Structures are given as structure tokens and as C-alpha cells.
Amino acid sequence: MRRFLISLVFAMLCVAPARADPPIRFGLTAAVVREHLDLYDRLAAYLGRKVGRTVQIVQRRSYREAMELIENGEHDFAWICSLPYAKYRDSRRFGLLAVPVFRGEPLYRSYLIVHRSSPVQTMAELEKRVFAYSDPDSNTGYAVPRRQIHELGRNPDSFFRHTFFTYGHTEQIEAVAARLADGAAVDSYVWEFLARHGSPLTNDTRIVAQSEAYGFPPLVYRVGVDPALRERMATALLTMDSDPDGRRLLAELMLDRFTTPDPALYDGVGRNIDRR
């Protein structure tokens, strides 16, 4: 009997533990308000509970880095800018998962901003001044203002006296608030989010113009991700507004809900690509 018990214990010790599923990697770019990452950590925890897997938020500085990680299979999902989606949507490396609804529509705009004490009222008046861009692959922070300069009959490469990239919309607003730049074109959602939270950055800047509406930065999935996992993630997002915890998170994110996206929503963004 003693020999049997010893053999049983030895066998139990030799059994390999069940292999845990790796975390789901969810990429973030400057398309979201990175200064409130605690909200996205809570969103990750919420989604993890819903899909039954740990969700890990991974922040990347540039849009290009985030897209490469999706394309290389290192991220399962990502919240990206609308321009990279429009630019690479035919690559068949990722697909639309969901799009946020902001103030009743899955849309956002580019805000042209200046310092609150600036006399500037239009893009034309920023000629030969300093301008802060967001990211070379940003719709609102790069493609839109350059298209607007084209429409003025000017060359965007020589229109401003000096330009620089901040790689974040909050950083653009900060540059204008600190008078490091005379103007910037920023994501309306980011500006409004900061304003809602009483940021001194929005107190020190003002909006002088708004662009037409574009499809809101979407959430995408990597082609090749487990279809069952993709379905669970989509369901978790699309039903957030019917769940008490989900509604609280949405309210803090200043979003109404997530909805099923129509790829045509980004056609207007696609038209900006050739005008950069």
C-alpha cells in the first residue's frame, strides 16, 4: 500500500500543468486619449471577463508601428486611426471589428486649433507660421490639414515656416497651448475628451474651424485570429451598452456604444490619402 501511494504521488507530480492561453494583445495608438490609460486598462479587464481570456493593452507611439504588429501577427486586435485602415484595408491582413459611436454617430472631425489669445481665424492665416502635425499616417492630424492647404491653392510642403510631428493629439494641443506651435489640426474626440475633463490644454486653445465628418477610428482584428475569439470579442464590444459595467465604462470614455462598422464609412478618409 505504501509503495502504491508513493507511485501515485510521483505520477501526480509528473503530470504537466494545463497550459494557459496567452494574453490577447490589444494595440492602442494616438487615436485614443493615451493620458487616461487607466480607462483602457479597465476596458481590457472588462473585455477579458467577457471573452474568458486575459486582455493585455499594448501602447505604440506611431500608427505605423501598430499596423506592423497587426500585420506581423503580434497583435490580435487594435484600435487604430481611420487613415491606416483606409490605406491598408485591401491588404487582407486585418478586418473591421467595431466602431465607436460618439455623440450619436460613428464619426469624428478634424479641429483646427490655435492659442486662445491668437488672432488667427483661418488656415490661410497660418501661412509662414509654425504648425504641429500628429503622425504621418493620421487623418485628422496630417492628411486633412494638408488637403485643406491644397484647396487654398498652396503647396503644403512650403506653406508653413516650420512643422514638426508630436505623434499624439494631446501633444499637439499641448504644443499649441505652450505656444511651441501657432496651430494644429487635432482629433475632435481627443479635444472634446480633454475639455470634458477640464484640461488646461483645451482652456488655453480654441477651435477656429472644423472639417467634414469622417469614420471614427475603428477597432480591427488580425486576419488569422481564432474566429470564435473574434466573435466573442465583437459580442463583448457590441453589447457593452446593455451591461451596467459596460455602460459606466462607455460613459467615462465619452462614447455612446460600439456598433458594427460599414467599410464605406471610411471612403472619405481614403480620398485624403492622395492629397497628403
Side-chain angles (χ1 to χ4, degrees), residues 107-136:
L107 305 171
Y108 76 139
R109 290 169 171 77
S110 177
Y111 282 176
L112 180 63
I113 64 168
V114 298
H115 192 271
R116 66 177 181 180
S117 64
S118 171
V120 169
Q121 297 293 334
T122 65
M123 176 65 83
E125 293 175 56
L126 284 168
E127 188 170 12
K128 302 307 177 186
R129 296 176 184 259
V130 178
F131 198 82
Y133 286 125
S134 172
D135 183 287

Side-chain angles (χ1 to χ4, degrees), residues 64-134:
R64 184 61 253 167
E65 288 177 281
M67 293 306 301
E68 287 174 351
L69 290 170
I70 278 282
E71 292 168 355
N72 295 340
E74 296 180 50
H75 282 181
D76 303 299
F77 304 95
W79 197 339
I80 65 172
C81 180
S82 55
L83 189 142
Y85 170 74
K87 184 177 180 180
Y88 300 109
R89 61 181 168 180
D90 294 330
S91 67
R92 298 183 181 178
R93 295 182 181 179
F94 61 89
L96 279 175
L97 182 70
V99 62
V101 176
F102 174 52
R103 295 182 171 177
E105 298 179 298
L107 305 171
Y108 76 139
R109 290 169 171 77
S110 177
Y111 282 176
L112 180 63
I113 64 168
V114 298
H115 192 271
R116 66 177 181 180
S117 64
S118 171
V120 169
Q121 297 293 334
T122 65
M123 176 65 83
E125 293 175 56
L126 284 168
E127 188 170 12
K128 302 307 177 186
R129 296 176 184 259
V130 178
F131 198 82
Y133 286 125
S134 172

Side-chain angles (χ1 to χ4, degrees), residues 150 269-276:
H150 276 297
V269 178
R271 288 190 289 271
N272 288 334
I273 295 174
D274 294 334
R275 302 300 303 273
R276 289 183 298 164

Side-chain angles (χ1 to χ4, degrees), residues 27-34 58-71 75 78-85 87-88 94 108 133-143 165-172 185-190 217-218 220 269 276:
L28 289 184
T29 68
V32 299
V33 186
R34 296 187 295 192
V58 184
Q59 184 181 352
R60 285 294 175 262
R61 181 169 183 256
S62 75
Y63 298 155
R64 184 61 253 167
E65 288 177 281
M67 293 306 301
E68 287 174 351
L69 290 170
I70 278 282
E71 292 168 355
H75 282 181
W79 197 339
I80 65 172
C81 180
S82 55
L83 189 142
Y85 170 74
K87 184 177 180 180
Y88 300 109
F94 61 89
Y108 76 139
Y133 286 125
S134 172
D135 183 287
D137 278 324
S138 170
N139 180 51
T140 55
Y142 186 69
F165 290 102
T166 66
Y167 292 94
H169 293 289
T170 302
E171 289 77 6
Q172 285 178 283
V186 304
D187 182 319
S188 62
Y189 167 71
V190 174
V220 300
V269 178
R276 289 183 298 164

